[in-house]
Amino acid sequence: MIRIAIKSLSQRGILQKLTISILLMAIIPLVLIIYLLRTEVGEVLLKNNVKVTMFFMICSICTGYILSRKIIVSVVRLARDMQGITHGNLSKRIKTSENDEVDMLARYFNQMTSELEKNIEDLKESKRVIQDVLLRINSAMGSDKKIDSVLELTLETLSQALNASSGTIMVSKEDKIKIMVSCGAISGIRRDISLKEEKSIIVKAYKEQKTQNVSKAGGAERLVFEKEAGFAYKSILCAPLMCKGKVLGVISLHDKKNWDNFSEDDVILIENLASQTAIAIENSRLNQHIERTYVETISTLALAVEAKDPYTRGHTKRVTNFVLRLAEEFSLDKDAKDMLKNAALLHDIGKIGIKDEILLKPGALTTEKRKHMQLHPIIGENILKPIHSLNKIAYLVRHHHERVDGEGYPGKLTKEYISLPLKILTVADAYDAMTSDRPYRKAMTKDEACQELKKCSGTYFDSKVVDVFLKIL
Ligand SMILES: [Fe+2]
Ligand SMILES: [Fe+2]
């Protein structure tokens, strides 16, 4: 009977449960006793059988207790489960089996927890994307990569993170804004846009120095102007590249792949990256300017050194011509050619630190003076080392007197540690030195110098480079 009563009560509200419990616990036994007391039966029962009355009362109290306990247990369980969830176990859910207010509360709480869990997952994903983007871009900005490669990586990473179909980084030049790098589906993208183009969103972002987030619905007319005729974006997000209060250009992303519009989160991310990108562009411009000035200065110094020594006048220019022809024969890329050209121009810059009495001394040098003279590659390296981007040239300058058999100076590097550009530089330098007058000897003829190169092939010089050099002479 008690079980049936509990089961039927489980479908009722908590207030009803409580009322019924109190009725069962107190009011019903009380009414029963009062009723019995007014009847003859009651008098008899009370007089002769108090145990029966007591039995009824105890039964009522027990039933009331069981029902009240059931309510309290479900509240306690709810509180305990809620505590578990609020302590971080968001995957946990509160069990529901009944149909009262406590159960309803549990279901609402489960629903809220599910939504919270989803939001947290979304936030974690956004955080992961942002961290990934920043990590890749920071590592690119801290590397030796050229600015174009850094910007390409920045744009590609941002484009992937925001699920955009394409993107551009454009910088202003004269009265236009021109593409510096681009990524993705770029068919029809205009390579440059006039700053007078009032309807362009990119120009608007540049001129107003404000991020623009425009979708087809919000600015269909404007979206046409970023592309050549016949093409148009469905959505575009662009931010100005601001550095020290100056606008350098615009970074833009176009057409989300799932056809959504760009979100507020996307705006925050692009704005953060725009300022980093602008700083990178500005720093690169400043570095290029400093490096250009530095190279020009030391090139002038190199010429001054040559001018001081009549025997080496024109030496660097001739060596430069030889290395460039050899670089062509070995199909070296543009970067390697530029590096070799600068190394050839600057390889003897260290002679600026050699005393005139040694540099210009007629006749053979004593061992001590020769050792002093042999310091010029190291002095040269030290002159170039302060500029980070000249490190590779500094390396060539340091080792331009190495020999493939390991008997050169200053590093005594053997063949396997000597790079191809360095092998090219040593052959070109040695040939020009042999065919020039020196204070201690007359210049060799071309044939004599070629014979000398052949004789020293495989010991002083790399045999492959010597072979190619003899062919192009
Ligand atoms: Fe030298
Ligand atoms: Fe030289």
Side-chain angles (χ1 to χ4, degrees):
M1 190 184 81
I2 294 168
R3 265 193 179 180
I4 293 165
I6 292 169
K7 206 171 176 183
S8 67
L9 270 175
S10 69
Q11 299 301 316
R12 293 173 187 274
I14 194 165
L15 197 64
Q16 283 175 305
K17 280 179 187 170
L18 199 66
T19 312
I20 293 166
S21 302
I22 288 169
L23 277 173
L24 287 169
M25 276 176 73
I27 299 171
I28 292 175
L30 196 67
V31 171
L32 190 64
I33 290 166
I34 293 166
Y35 173 73
L36 288 174
L37 282 173
R38 291 185 172 204
T39 61
E40 286 178 9
V41 180
E43 278 177 26
V44 174
L45 279 174
L46 282 173
K47 281 177 187 166
N48 303 323
N49 207 346
V50 178
K51 283 181 184 173
V52 175
T53 312
M54 291 299 289
F55 172 75
F56 277 115
M57 283 186 71
I58 289 166
C59 279
S60 300
I61 290 166
C62 286
T63 311
Y65 170 74
I66 290 166
L67 292 174
S68 303
R69 190 179 180 281
K70 194 170 164 56
I71 298 164
I72 290 160
V73 162
S74 52
V75 172
V76 168
R77 197 185 63 212
L78 177 69
R80 194 184 53 226
D81 288 352
M82 284 166 99
Q83 193 183 29
I85 293 168
T86 52
H87 277 76
N89 187 6
L90 289 175
S91 58
K92 193 178 165 80
R93 293 288 178 275
I94 300 166
K95 283 181 192 161
T96 55
S97 57
E98 297 183 3
N99 198 23
D100 56 19
E101 287 86 345
V102 175
D103 194 55
M104 208 185 297
L105 194 65
R107 278 201 298 275
Y108 287 149
F109 195 78
N110 282 344
Q111 212 173 328
M112 276 167 55
T113 311
S114 298
E115 278 174 22
L116 191 65
E117 197 180 14
K118 189 179 170 298
N119 287 344
I120 288 173
E121 282 307 313
D122 289 348
L123 276 173
K124 277 184 185 167
E125 177 61 18
S126 300
K127 191 179 164 192
R128 193 192 59 71
V129 167
I130 292 168
Q131 279 176 341
D132 184 48
V133 169
L134 294 179
L135 192 72
R136 288 174 69 178
I137 290 165
N138 281 338
S139 70
M141 285 182 179
S143 71
D144 285 340
K145 284 184 181 166
K146 288 194 167 178
I147 186 68
D148 282 10
S149 313
V150 172
L151 296 182
E152 264 169 27
L153 184 70
T154 304
L155 193 62
E156 267 171 33
T157 312
L158 183 66
S159 180
Q160 278 171 16
L162 269 54
N163 213 13
S165 300
S166 58
T168 58
I169 290 178
M170 302 180 86
V171 288
S172 56
K173 210 169 185 185
E174 292 151 9
D175 59 344
K176 284 186 172 176
I177 183 157
K178 295 184 173 184
I179 285 188
M180 194 170 174
V181 291
S182 60
C183 75
I186 53 166
S187 62
I189 289 182
R190 285 168 64 175
R191 307 305 299 173
D192 53 59
I193 304 171
S194 165
L195 287 172
K196 289 174 191 155
E197 184 60 84
E198 293 293 330
K199 288 185 177 175
S200 162
I201 294 158
I202 288 173
V203 171
K204 191 173 186 238
Y206 179 87
K207 281 188 173 170
E208 293 183 6
Q209 301 179 6
K210 210 172 158 192
T211 303
Q212 303 292 319
N213 183 9
V214 182
S215 63
K216 196 177 178 185
E221 218 184 292
R222 286 182 165 277
L223 289 170
V224 179
F225 290 91
E226 317 306 326
K227 282 194 165 187
E228 302 289 355
F231 297 93
Y233 295 122
K234 291 187 172 55
S235 55
I236 184 167
L237 172 63
C238 48
L241 300 171
M242 301 291 300
C243 183
K244 296 173 193 163
K246 200 173 73 180
V247 59
L248 308 179
V250 173
I251 181 167
S252 68
L253 292 176
H254 327 119
D255 291 344
K256 275 227 171 197
K257 284 178 185 163
N258 52 10
W259 303 115
D260 276 351
N261 295 331
F262 290 100
S263 67
E264 278 307 303
D265 283 349
D266 297 343
V267 172
I268 292 168
L269 189 54
I270 201 172
E271 282 179 346
N272 282 331
L273 278 180
S275 47
Q276 280 200 38
T277 306
I279 293 167
I281 293 173
E282 183 67 3
N283 284 346
S284 161
R285 283 177 178 175
L286 290 172
N287 283 342
Q288 278 173 6
H289 179 70
I290 292 168
E291 283 167 18
R292 210 167 31 240
T293 311
Y294 193 79
V295 170
E296 279 166 9
T297 308
I298 49 182
S299 299
T300 312
L301 280 175
L303 291 173
V305 172
E306 276 194 2
K308 195 168 71 171
D309 179 359
Y311 295 100
T312 57
R313 209 163 288 157
H315 171 64
T316 55
K317 202 174 172 192
R318 291 190 297 272
V319 174
T320 306
N321 288 336
F322 288 137
V323 294
L324 287 179
R325 284 166 66 191
L326 277 167
E328 193 65 42
E329 289 297 316
F330 281 97
S331 305
L332 297 187
D333 61 26
K334 190 183 172 300
D335 284 351
K337 281 180 188 165
D338 287 346
M339 178 179 74
L340 256 176
K341 184 183 160 192
N342 285 326
L345 278 171
L346 301 170
H347 73 279
D348 278 332
I349 184 75
K351 284 186 180 172
I352 205 162
I354 304 297
K355 293 172 191 162
D356 282 359
E357 68 213 55
I358 296 173
L359 199 64
L360 306 173
K361 183 183 176 293
L365 295 172
T366 61
T367 311
E368 195 189 335
K369 286 181 175 166
R370 196 170 59 249
K371 276 188 180 168
H372 181 71
M373 183 69 172
Q374 287 178 350
L375 288 176
H376 80 272
I378 297 170
I379 299 169
E381 183 201 23
N382 290 336
I383 292 171
L384 300 172
K385 250 198 321 199
I387 297 289
H388 182 68
S389 66
L390 297 182
N391 276 358
K392 286 180 184 167
I393 297 169
Y395 175 83
L396 294 181
V397 169
R398 179 183 173 90
H399 295 293
H400 76 273
H401 282 291
E402 299 289 351
R403 290 170 42 165
V404 292
D405 61 2
E407 292 301 314
Y409 62 89
K412 290 190 180 294
L413 301 181
T414 48
K415 188 177 178 176
E416 50 291 8
Y417 297 102
I418 301 175
S419 63
L420 179 59
L422 189 52
K423 287 170 181 167
I424 288 174
L425 179 61
T426 52
V427 170
D429 182 35
Y431 176 81
D432 190 71
M434 283 189 261
T435 52
S436 309
D437 283 334
R438 288 290 148 115
Y440 46 90
R441 61 153 174 77
K442 288 297 277 177
M444 289 182 188
T445 64
K446 184 180 169 185
D447 284 346
E448 283 169 343
C450 289
Q451 285 307 315
E452 191 65 18
L453 280 182
K454 278 185 202 164
K455 203 175 96 187
C456 298
S457 175
T459 52
Y460 276 75
F461 313 114
D462 180 77
S463 44
K464 183 89 195 288
V465 177
V466 170
D467 290 348
V468 175
F469 187 68
L470 293 175
K471 272 184 211 161
I472 63 163
L473 263 181

